[in-house]
Amino acid sequence: METEVMLHRREADGVTVYQASTAHQPAPDPEPQPAPSDRAIAILALAQRTADDHVAEAQARADRILTEAQTYADEVRTEADRLLSDARAEAERIVSNGSVYAEQLRLQAQQRYEDAVGGLSIKREALQRQVENLAVFDHDFRHRITLFLQSQLRALWAEHPQAMDVPGMGEQLSGGFADEIGPS
């Protein structure tokens, strides 16, 4: 009777598994039977081939997983770079907008300051003109009141010249005022 080693192949989770089985078949003709050491060598060769196949499949699967992991890592890195770039752009936009807003506030404050100072300057000039006008008015008023009083004194002297003979009054009037109010 001859023993034949049969190799059965099956796949599980993407891994090919080989199983060896022996089948007893009656020998059609009497041939010399292989020695037990030849059978053991055949089984060992089959086991070696199965192990090599498993290692090759495991290596292929590991390479595939590594490639997928590298691809995923590249995608994640690309996404992280994009997010970082977007964040930097947003930060620059915020800083730029803040700078523009700060400059606008500075210009508004400067304008308000200039308006206030300019308004005060205009008010100051207006008050100075009023003071000058009042000084002119005061001078004119004093001049007119002096002229009026002088004319009244002349009229009074013309009507009553003896009223001017008050003792000591002539001396006071001779100092210049009497000359001004005297007959002209």
Side-chain angles (χ1 to χ4, degrees):
M1 181 155 133
E2 184 176 305
T3 304
E4 185 176 309
V5 176
M6 297 187 66
L7 190 59
H8 299 286
R9 179 178 172 183
R10 67 182 178 121
E11 298 239 353
D13 296 326
V15 176
T16 304
V17 177
Y18 294 94
Q19 285 183 320
S21 64
T22 58
H24 296 288
Q25 295 180 0
D29 57 4
E31 283 186 20
Q33 296 223 355
S37 63
D38 289 341
R39 260 183 61 205
I41 290 174
I43 291 173
L44 282 175
L46 180 63
Q48 182 65 43
R49 206 174 357 176
T50 303
D52 289 344
D53 288 346
H54 284 306
V55 168
E57 286 181 30
Q59 184 62 45
R61 188 168 186 212
D63 289 344
R64 197 171 48 248
I65 290 171
L66 179 61
T67 302
E68 289 173 2
Q70 286 174 340
T71 302
Y72 181 72
D74 289 344
E75 290 171 359
V76 168
R77 189 175 303 112
T78 301
E79 180 66 13
D81 289 344
R82 186 189 64 76
L83 290 174
L84 181 61
S85 176
D86 290 350
R88 284 184 177 149
E90 181 67 12
E92 287 176 10
R93 185 188 63 76
I94 289 170
V95 167
S96 176
N97 288 346
S99 296
V100 168
Y101 183 68
E103 182 62 20
Q104 288 174 347
L105 289 178
R106 189 191 68 74
L107 290 174
Q108 286 177 357
Q110 181 69 28
Q111 184 64 40
R112 286 181 185 167
Y113 172 78
E114 289 173 3
D115 290 347
V117 169
L120 290 175
S121 179
I122 291 170
K123 287 179 184 178
R124 180 175 174 249
E125 290 172 9
L127 289 173
Q128 283 178 337
R129 281 192 301 272
Q130 285 180 345
V131 167
E132 290 170 1
N133 290 340
L134 287 173
V136 168
F137 176 79
D138 178 56
H139 180 266
D140 288 347
F141 181 75
R142 286 178 186 261
H143 180 69
R144 281 192 233 142
I145 198 84
T146 302
L147 291 176
F148 175 74
L149 288 175
Q150 286 175 353
S151 70
Q152 291 298 314
L153 284 174
R154 276 190 209 115
L156 182 62
W157 184 68
E159 290 177 16
H160 303 290
Q162 68 278 9
M164 296 304 272
D165 291 336
V166 177
M169 184 63 135
E171 295 171 5
Q172 289 179 350
L173 292 177
S174 65
F177 187 68
D179 295 336
E180 289 178 16
I181 58 169
S184 24

